[in-house]
Structures are given as structure tokens and as C-alpha cells.
Amino acid sequence: MKLNVDGLLVYFPYDYIYPEQFSYMLELKRALDAKGHCLLEMPSGTGKTTTLLSLIVAYMKAHPLDLTKLVYCSRTVPEIEKVMEELRKLMNYYEKEMGMEQNILGLALSSRKNLCIHPSVSKEREGKVVDGRCYSLTASFVRARHAADDAVPICEFYEGFDAHGKEFPLPPGVYNLDDLKEYGQTKRWCPYFLARHTITHANIVVYSYHYLLDPKIAEVVSKEISKSSVVVFDEAHNIDNVCIDSMSVKITKRLLDKCSNSITILETTISNMKENDSKRLEKEYKRLVEGLRDATIARETDMALVNPVLPSEILEEAVPGTIRTAEHFVAFLKRVVEYIKTRLRVQHVVQESPAGFLRDIHTKVCIDRKPLRFTAERLASLIRTLEISDLTDFSPLVTVSHFATLVSTYTKGFTIIIEPFEDRAPTVSNPILYFSCLDSSIAIKPVFNRFQTVVITSGTLSPLDMYPKILDFHPVIMTSFTMTLARPCILPMIVSKGNDQVAMSSRYETREDTAVIRNYGNLLVEVAAAVPDGIVCFFTSYLYLETIVSSWYDQGIIDQLQRHKLLFIETQDAAETSLALINYIKACDNGRGAVLLSVARGKVSEGIDFDHHLGRAVLMFGIPYVYTQSRILRARLEYLRDQFQIRENDFLTFDAMRHAAQCLGRCMRGKTDYGIMVLADKRFSRADKRSKLPKWIQEHLKDTNCNLSTEECVQICKRWLRQMAQPFSREDQLGISLLTLEQLQSEEMQKKIQQRAQGV
Amino acid sequence: MDDYQTCPKCKTTKYRNPAMVLMVNACGHALCESCVELLFAKGSGACPECKCPLRRNNFRVQLFEDPAVDKEVDIRKRILKEFNKRQEDFPTLREYNDYLEEVETIIFNLVFDIDPAGTNKMIDNYKKENKDITQKNRNRQSQEEMELEELLEAEKAQQSEKANLYVNAELEEKKQKHKAREKLIDELMFSDADAKSIVASHVQATAALAKEQPKAAAQPSSGVVKSSKFSSGVQIGLRGQHTNSFLPIPKQEDLPLYRYTAPVFDYDGPPPPAIEKLGKLNYFANIRAANITERAGGYTEAMSCCRALQEALGGLFYSPQLTHKTAVLATNSSTQDTDDMETT
């Protein structure tokens, strides 16, 4: 249908629209008009993706000069594929309505592993190996060598792309990963480089977060995206952790040992080269003396190594004299590695700031800050000069060089923690150096600065005001949308006590208490007896899950449970978990019904949907706080408190509640779906926790349902399930939660939508 | 991790003698402490590996895994004492970088014993030429060092400030609590109001205060692991001795698999209208509609209506005179319908 969104003609590829989708478009348009950033929360299953795409594409068509590109960041490959499907639907609709080919090019980009069509390289399973092998076939020096000697293998697909692909742009259309591969096969061009090349002029790019947030990758892939783009981060409730991970480095003893090996390799290669072909080293040296930036850096295939973010004024400077020649640099690296080795030889935990580290490295091994800063770039240059084609071995050394560069560049927002052993096994010596980023705004800052509009959206972003604080930006629009529902499809309840009136809680003091464990068990058994099909339970940690299950065995609760449903458990082993999931789905499909015990923050809680019969009820046993004794977390909390005035407790609760909301949201994947959400902990009923749930859950959480016992909970469930089991058709939804064009345009509805948009 | 460290002279390893400490001297060859004492009892001697003359008081504890690095760092420190020009002493960055490289080359030469005579000459020349600057720079910190010092100072100051702040905040909180309690007691003693209402208002006030400063909910650390069976070390069944607490679902004996055979009916009547058409044919007018509870279970009024019609029409063609043969014929024609009905 064709919509009029605040004066903008939007083609929407479906015949019906949800009212909240329309409000979402209104808000999004306002943000685009204002050229500012926005934060939008809309429940999963209400068609966020298609709403975003149709509005932004319409906006691009209407204002081709203001908005040139959409960069859509998603988390996983399946999610990327889903976005591409929606986009294809939208473009087909455009074509049908306008009757001509649309001049819009949309494409998905993923790693080499997912895009490679080289017959042998694509067989490799590990991403790093594929990258390494690709590099060894396509690096500029390998190709130069091939020109001299035909025996040197190269990739014919890359050659094809290099010879022809650059002149012929990809014809307009929508290309997902498979389409790209197919196109590559027919043309005999490398799809990966084709996609990377096309990014610069494509209208819509869909790829993973890391291509934008990880400075090491962003530099290569997303450098040339213009300012007049809109960037969308979908499922962005964990975006702060992604930012932090992309800037943090972890160094273990084994990694350092590997580094020493690679340094020896470097040494021998240098001495070999000096004997046979000293010209190249001289050339590199001269270039560095001149202070020129690497001319070959523009060669796209050579970019397997890039330095993490450096302020550009530093990059302009010449490499310092201490590390200019290859031998000096290798000796320098050796000193750095040996120094870190000595630092790892600690007996107790050490925490220090980057400044302290720099001072110590200066006094111990006489290394200044400046050469350290250039380590990553110098190493990249050296490896290129030495024409080392197998990069996989060098990844440890690259990690260390990144560490050196980061530690000397940033003095604020980072901390160094050296732990001699893990907390769990204090007798086994396993020293690890964590260079941990405490400030999630560092990694995302360039994104906010560079692009005119950044949209952060997810099903669970509550409490919204936390994100601008921790990401340090000023959104122009910050809105949470609820779901309009024709019937109360979700039933959130807080169960605070068992039938025996003993309070239920996962608090540390009571978690070993048999009464609490028994009450949790009884709750599950009774819910399992009342609820048909699948039930998903979330525990706060693997350890807690396993302790509880083991005592349930003793208490006979498992036996009772198995009379009603089959039981599956998520474990830390990914293969085991996916097997359990497959069988869980099978059991639900059969109508046998099943219970899945899993862990908040685990694989199941992120990204696996339990729609319809797969998840009729979700039980959250306890509040999923993070492990607060971790030193990295402690350091981060302290930093947040000092820099952003966020109190420890606020952040911990925020983090716990967003994960709880993520878990609860698993069972609601659309408007025809329905599900029970049981929060089994006394503490959930406190105002500070309750108010942090997403609005669409809070709306259905009545005061009467906030302090229930097991028995009351089961009664309410039964009554509600009977109501939900009534036949439900589209006609029931029409006019309330699903609108036709006429209904949408009716004055009354417009007024309602306006109100909603202003109210929030 | 240091277990494989070995003294090259007496072959003692760190594993056999944890107290062993390796020492290095100017030449970069390691020796354990007791060997040093033995060999250099006179205060000086030759390195057992490279035979270069060494003094005993120059031996230091080996800091790095690779003694060559120790040697290099040693030389570097010595050289950098002399070669301490700063960037400020050079007109351009380029010249400064050239100087840095020169220093690096000197150190490199000394470490690997390349052209020792030439290098030493270079050092001496430099010393002569730059006596003043070296002397001056010794007392001056480089800009970078100053920056670092400043940063560290700031960090320290911040930390002490924070510590003070928290101590103060805690004290403040305690004081407030104390005050509130005294106030309550005072009021109870001297006020005329109802004691219950006073207590209630006090509870409210403290609750409001507590809301303002919510206590950190202590999140438990990893508890003590009791037994092992799961990946994290938890056994299935805490009291694993009498394991038969788990009652298995009784197993049925293996019987031959059930096979469905369509039942044969003697229907003997005209086929009733199909279940989907009942509504159109207006049969429901005479029947009570299903209520909410029944519909939830999947029941609709069409079912009972269909059943009643089947019963009414079945057997209408039955006559005792007819032989069994015709009955079979009749059923053959109507099996189709009845089968459908079974499945719906």
C-alpha cells in the first residue's frame, strides 16, 4: 500500500500495516529530517525491518541529495539474509507499482568465508584460514610474482574481477550472499571483492556490526562511505559490549610464545632477503625515511593487517627513527614481547592504567611511547615488504602490535589487568593480560561523528536513557513503541513465593536453600502441567542451572516434570546445545511438549526464536545479574561512575533487566503469537526493576500480577490460556492492531497515532 | 613456566631447585647464582662461554626469558645515558629521526659485536662533541615523560579524592540514619499523635531514603562446586551414593508395531450431508452453540450435529429380507464418506 507519512510517499509492500509501524515511520522520518541520531524501541515481531527499509528507501527516493546510502548493520548471517528478503519484497513491490526497473542497488557483505567461490579455498571451515589462503593467492606481490613465473598459483576469480569487474558496476537489484556468489560464478569474478568494491556506490549495504564498529576492519571496508548516509544498528541492545570487545585485547602466555616464534621467522626472512634481494628492504626504508604513508596501502588485497584507530595527525607523521630499519624493528618487537612476558610472571592480580604501563616499559626496557604507537603500522609494512604470504601464523604478533598501539594511544578509558590464574582454578597458573576498554563510546564515536543519522533499534532497549549515557551521544529522538494488540497476547507475571509462602529469589544468601529450589521446581511442574507445548526456562548462570537440576533430581521434581513433558538442557558445549534444540523443536512439533532449561546470556537467549507452540511460556528463575566479582567489570563500573555518573547498582540492574527482557521476548515473535512470561523472583516486583522492563511488557504487567504465589499463577495461566485458545483470525485484528489503508487514513486513527507519537 | 630454565654451567634446572636464580653479566650469558659465587670468588674472572673478562659485581638477576634481551637492555641503558638528545635539540623531525636511527645502529652493533672499534670511536666522538647538551639533558625530563608523570599524578589525586568522597558519603548516611532514629524516639516520647501513625510515617520516610540510595544487590560469586558430572563440575544428584532416587518412566515391552486397517461399516442408509455444509443447510438453528470453554478444547457444534445426522440416517435402508450381499454393496458405495468423517 502507499502511505503518506508526514508528507512523504512511502511504498509499503504489505496490504495491512500495524499502527505502531506507522508511528515508527513518523519518528524515523523526524530523525532523518533533523539529520540527527535516534534510539527506537519496538517489540520484536512487529515488522521493524520492513518498516525501516520502506521508509528509508522512500526517503532516499524523495531526497536523493540529502540521503545517499543506507548502511544496515545486523548481528548474524541469518539475520542479514532476512533483511535481504524484506528488501527484495520491497523492491518487487516498487517494480509492480511503478512498472519499471528500480535504480536501487542493495547488497549484503560478509566475510570471505561466506563469499569465497574458489574451489579449494572455499572448502576451508575456519574464517581465519580462508582469509589467510585468500591473501596468499591475491596479494599484490603474489600476483607480481605470477606475472614473472606461471607456476605461482593465483586466484582466477580475483584476476577476473581485477581485469573486468571494476569497470562494470553491478546492475541494480537486490543481492544477498547467494546471489553474489551466483553472479560471481557466471562472470568468473570474485564475489567478495566485487561486493567490497560495490559498497562505495551501492544504495543499500547490509553487513555485520564489526564492519563499522571494529576499527581494524572499519578502516578497510567502510572508509569510503559518505557522510550523507544513514546507519541502522538492528538488535542493538548489546551494542555497548560489541564496542568494548572490538577495542579490548587479551594476551595469554601461549600467545606470547607464538609471538616469539613469529619473530624468529621474521628474523630469518629478513636475513635471507638481505642476502638475495636487499633492494626491497632499502626501498621500504627510504619510504619510511621520507615519511610517506604507504603507497601500496590502497591496494585492496593487501589489507589483511591494519592498525587500530590512530588519530590521523599521528598517522601523517613519519615513523620514528628507532624502528625504521627492519632489524631494529624486530629487535624492538622482541623487547616488547619479552617485557610483556615478564609482566605476566606475577603472583597476584595487578591492575594499572595505560600511563603506568608506559612508564614501566620505559624504565624496564627503554621503549618510548612514540615508537610503540607506530608498532601496528610498522609491522604491517614489514610483513608486506617481506612478502610473507601465510598470515595465519602471524595473528598473535599482530594482536600484540595492536595492543602496543592502543596502549600508547589511549590513556583514558582503558585499564590493564593482569591475572595470574583464573578465579575458578586458583592453583593452575594461567597468566592473562587483559587490556580492557572501559568506555563503549570510544569505538562508536567515529560512527556518530561521521554519519548524519544513526538509528539504534531493538526489541528491548529499555531503559532508553541509559544508552545515550554509556555511548555518549545526543539523540534527537528517543522513543519506545508498544504493541497494539487485539487481545492480551502476553501474560507477564511476577511470582514471588511458593505455595508454602517461602519467598522465591536467586539472591546469594538463599540460592542454596532447599525450600527455594523446591519452590522453583514446583512452579515449573505446575506450569508444565497447565501449559501446552513448549516451555523455556532461563537461569542466571550455568552453575546455578546445574546445581538446581541436580537437587531437583534428589527431590523427585525431575520425575514429576517428565510425566508432563520432555526435558532438555542447554550446556556450554555449542554442539550439544544445538542437538538439544533440534530435539526440543521436534518434541514440540509432535505435540509431546517439552521443557528447555537454558541460561540467560547463553546462546539460546540471544537470537533463537521460540514462536508459537515452541514457546508458550517463558520462566525466568532469578535476576540475571552479571558475575560481579570479575575485575574487568569492577573496573568498568568504576569508570562509568566517575565519567558518566552512572551508579554501579543502576548499571548492574540495567544490564540484568535488559537480559531478562531479551529472554522474555523470546516467546513473542508476532501478533498472532501468545505467551506467558513468568518472572520468578521476589525482587522483580520492586519498582526499580519493574520500571526497567520494556514498555510493551510493562503495559501488560498489572499490579495484581506482581506478587503471586505458585498456585495463583497457575490459576491465572489456565484462565488466560482458555481465552487465548479461541479461534483468532485476521478479521479480529483488523481495525485495532492491523490496519488497511482506509482505516489508517481515517481521522480517528490518525489522531490516535499522533497522540501516541507525542505521548512518548 | 620457568621450569625449563637451566644453568649452562652446572645444569641445575628451576624445576629441581626452585630457589635457583640465573644471573647475567655484560656478555649476555647466564649463570646460576651458586656458579657465580664459585667461579668469581676472586671478584673477577672469565665468562665460561665466551671467555670475556667479567667482574663479579656486574652480575645482575636475569629479568627476561632470553638473556640476550637482558644484555641489550643493559647496553641500551648505558648508551642512552650519553645519547640523550631530545626532539627540541633538532631543527626538524627528520634530523631527529636520523639521530634516533644512528643511536639504534650503535646499540645494535654493540649487541651483536659488529665493528666494535668503529662503533666505540663513534661513541667517543659523540661524547666529545655533545658534552654540554648531554649534561644539560640529564637534568631535564623529556616532554613525553612529563606528560606521563602528569597523568599519573592526576590519577593518584583522583583516586584519593574518590576514596575521601566515599568515606564521607558513608559517614553522612550513617549520621542520617542515626538522626532519623532519634527523631522517631523523640516523637514517640513527646508528641501527642497516635504512635502507630508516627511509626508508619517513619517507615515511609526511611523507605523513601532507601529508594534514593539503593544498596548494591550483592551478586554471588561462584559458589563452591560440590561434585563433578556436568561441565562446570556439578554432579547429577547431590547425594550420588543412592542413585536410584530417579524413577525412570516404566518401559513397555516391545510389541509388534501397530498397523492401521480401515474399519468396514454396515451403514445402510443415505449419506448424511458433509460437515462443512451443515452451517449452510441451516442445521445449527436447532442446536445449542458451543460456549467458550468448549471451543478452547477444539469442540464445535458442527461435530455433534454431524454425529446426530449420521445416527439418524444410518440403517434406514435396512431390511431383514435382503441378503447380506446387498448390504456389502451399499457399504462399498458409502465407505468413502464415512472414512472422511472418521478423519475429520
Side-chain angles (χ1 to χ4, degrees), chain B residues 175-185 202 206:
Chain B
K175 249 189 222 167
Q176 241 171 10
K177 259 191 190 164
H178 193 69
K179 248 189 210 167
R181 197 180 301 148
E182 289 208 331
K183 201 178 136 206
L184 173 74
I185 292 171
H202 171 76
T206 46

Side-chain angles (χ1 to χ4, degrees), chain B residues 268-307:
Chain B
D268 273 358
I275 193 162
E276 300 85 18
K277 289 182 187 158
L278 289 178
K280 265 186 207 156
L281 297 173
N282 211 14
Y283 277 102
F284 292 160
N286 309 318
I287 279 187
R288 179 179 66 83
N291 65 18
I292 290 181
T293 331
E294 290 163 345
R295 266 210 297 274
Y299 168 79
T300 58
E301 53 267 34
M303 286 178 178
S304 59
C305 183
C306 182
R307 181 68 153 274

Side-chain angles (χ1 to χ4, degrees), chain A residues 253 257 285 289-290 317-322 324-325 327-328 331 334-335 338-339 341-342 344-345 353 355-356 358-359 362-366 368-370 411 424 431 506-508 511-512 542-543 546-547 549-551 553-554 558-559 562-563 569 571-572 623 625-629 638 641-643 647 649-650 683 687 722 725-727, chain B residues 1-2 4-5 62-66 68-69 72-73 76-77 80 87 93-94 96-101 104-106 108 112 144-145 147-149 151-152 155 158-159 162 166 211-226 230-240 245-249 291-293 295-297:
Chain A
K253 180 86 178 114
D257 288 340
Y285 170 74
V289 171
E290 294 297 327
E317 224 186 281
V319 172
T322 27
R324 235 160 30 184
T325 59
E327 291 108 327
H328 295 170
K334 211 183 206 169
R335 260 180 298 150
E338 286 294 332
Y339 170 73
K341 270 186 194 167
T342 59
L344 281 185
R345 230 180 286 155
S353 67
L358 288 177
R359 196 176 58 173
H362 182 76
T363 52
K364 287 260 176 64
V365 287
C366 307
D368 287 331
R369 190 172 171 185
K370 203 164 152 204
T411 46
R424 300 241 162 89
S506 66
R507 277 172 61 213
Y508 186 58
R511 63 167 41 178
E512 304 280 309
Y542 284 105
L543 193 78
E546 287 161 11
T547 356
V549 171
S550 58
S551 20
Y553 264 103
D554 288 338
I558 297 287
D559 307 327
Q562 285 193 321
R563 295 210 181 104
I569 299 181
T571 61
Q572 270 152 321
I623 301 181
Y625 281 112
V626 282
Y627 174 62
T628 43
Q629 298 308 306
E638 218 162 88
R641 191 183 56 203
D642 296 341
Q643 298 298 318
R647 268 181 305 172
N649 203 32
D650 282 351
R683 293 170 292 168
R722 209 173 297 147
Q726 301 303 316
Chain B
M1 67 190 184
D2 299 324
Y4 53 85
Q5 276 193 344
Q62 181 183 337
L63 203 61
F64 302 99
E65 230 167 67
D66 185 356
V69 175
E72 193 193 330
V73 170
R76 186 175 291 275
K77 277 186 182 156
L80 285 182
Q87 198 180 334
L93 179 69
R94 170 83 182 268
Y96 176 57
N97 276 334
D98 287 343
Y99 159 77
L100 281 180
E101 196 191 327
E104 200 67 28
T105 322
I106 291 173
F108 197 79
F112 293 97
E144 243 175 59
E145 274 165 31
E147 257 174 46
L148 275 185
E149 287 299 326
L151 265 173
L152 283 173
E155 258 171 40
Q158 211 188 3
Q159 238 164 20
K162 256 193 296 177
Y166 290 128
K211 216 176 252 174
E212 267 171 42
Q213 305 160 315
K215 285 264 177 308
Q219 182 64 17
S221 59
S222 67
V224 184
V225 181
K226 278 177 185 152
F230 278 120
S231 49
S232 71
V234 179
Q235 201 173 45
I236 307 172
L238 285 175
R239 290 172 285 279
S245 60
F246 169 51
L247 311 170
I249 295 173
N291 65 18
I292 290 181
T293 331
R295 266 210 297 274

Side-chain angles (χ1 to χ4, degrees), chain A residues 572-674:
Chain A
Q572 270 152 321
D573 185 347
E576 222 169 60
T577 302
S578 55
L579 190 69
L581 260 175
I582 289 168
N583 284 316
Y584 171 80
I585 291 168
K586 209 191 265 172
C588 290
D589 286 342
N590 279 340
R592 174 72 173 83
V595 175
L596 179 66
L597 304 183
S598 54
V599 172
R601 296 161 199 279
K603 185 192 167 210
V604 171
S605 72
E606 290 277 335
I608 291 175
D609 295 346
F610 296 99
D611 45 0
H612 296 286
H613 64 283
L614 296 183
R616 280 299 177 222
V618 175
L619 281 85
M620 183 80 233
F621 292 122
I623 301 181
Y625 281 112
V626 282
Y627 174 62
T628 43
Q629 298 308 306
S630 139
R631 285 184 190 81
I632 298 169
L633 180 76
R634 287 257 141 246
R636 191 176 169 205
L637 287 175
E638 218 162 88
Y639 184 81
L640 285 174
R641 191 183 56 203
D642 296 341
Q643 298 298 318
F644 301 113
Q645 282 76 49
I646 298 171
R647 268 181 305 172
E648 281 182 24
N649 203 32
D650 282 351
F651 183 79
L652 287 175
T653 316
F654 152 76
D655 188 62
M657 291 313 286
R658 72 170 162 186
H659 280 101
Q662 247 325 284
C663 297
L664 296 177
R666 292 297 104 202
C667 73
M668 262 309 280
R669 309 317 290 181
K671 290 200 169 181
T672 52
D673 203 355
Y674 60 90

Side-chain angles (χ1 to χ4, degrees), chain A residues 261-492:
Chain A
N261 288 342
S262 344
I263 290 177
T264 342
I265 297 176
L266 280 181
E267 265 174 346
T268 50
T269 340
I270 289 173
S271 60
N272 278 346
M273 188 172 269
K274 262 203 152 168
E275 278 166 22
N276 305 328
D277 183 14
S278 58
K279 254 190 215 147
R280 208 161 30 216
L281 278 173
E282 269 167 38
K283 221 166 93 193
E284 185 204 25
Y285 170 74
K286 278 205 185 108
R287 206 185 51 228
L288 294 174
V289 171
E290 294 297 327
L292 291 178
R293 291 227 47 207
D294 216 330
T296 48
I297 210 159
R299 294 236 181 111
E300 53 190 356
T301 47
D302 294 347
M303 303 199 218
L305 294 171
V306 243
N307 60 305
V309 262
L310 272 186
S312 49
E313 62 265 29
I314 296 177
L315 282 176
E316 306 283 298
E317 224 186 281
V319 172
T322 27
I323 53 172
R324 235 160 30 184
T325 59
E327 291 108 327
H328 295 170
F329 179 62
V330 171
F332 169 86
L333 276 181
K334 211 183 206 169
R335 260 180 298 150
V336 173
V337 171
E338 286 294 332
Y339 170 73
I340 300 176
K341 270 186 194 167
T342 59
R343 291 307 305 271
L344 281 185
R345 230 180 286 155
V346 285
Q347 297 302 318
H348 50 87
V349 180
V350 178
Q351 179 171 5
E352 81 185 335
S353 67
F357 182 87
L358 288 177
R359 196 176 58 173
D360 196 51
I361 199 171
H362 182 76
T363 52
K364 287 260 176 64
V365 287
C366 307
I367 288 179
D368 287 331
R369 190 172 171 185
K370 203 164 152 204
L372 262 188
R373 222 180 253 167
F374 282 88
T375 316
E377 191 175 352
R378 183 68 185 91
L379 179 66
S381 160
L382 180 66
I383 286 183
R384 234 186 338 261
T385 314
L386 295 182
E387 304 194 342
I388 292 168
S389 51
D390 189 11
L391 283 180
T392 18
D393 295 346
F394 283 91
S395 63
L397 198 56
V398 172
T399 314
V400 170
S401 76
H402 284 162
F403 165 68
T405 303
L406 283 170
V407 81
S408 49
T409 310
Y410 294 100
T411 46
K412 270 202 127 183
F414 287 85
T415 188
I416 294 168
I417 294 173
I418 306 170
E419 288 185 338
F421 42 72
E422 275 180 48
D423 275 351
R424 300 241 162 89
T427 48
V428 186
S429 152
N430 177 24
I432 299 175
L433 182 145
Y434 296 97
F435 178 65
S436 159
C437 174
L438 305 174
D439 190 345
S440 45
S441 65
I442 293 176
I444 205 167
K445 181 149 249 148
V447 178
F448 281 128
N449 287 343
R450 207 165 100 200
F451 300 109
Q452 64 177 30
T453 306
V454 176
V455 182
I456 294 183
T457 186
S458 170
T460 47
L461 280 180
S462 293
L464 283 174
D465 54 342
M466 190 60 100
Y467 286 89
K469 269 196 221 161
I470 56 178
L471 298 179
D472 196 20
F473 73 110
H474 299 285
V476 290
I477 303 261
M478 200 160 77
T479 310
S480 169
F481 301 94
T482 60
M483 231 195 295
T484 46
L485 294 167
R487 51 179 191 166
C489 316
I490 57 173
L491 177 67

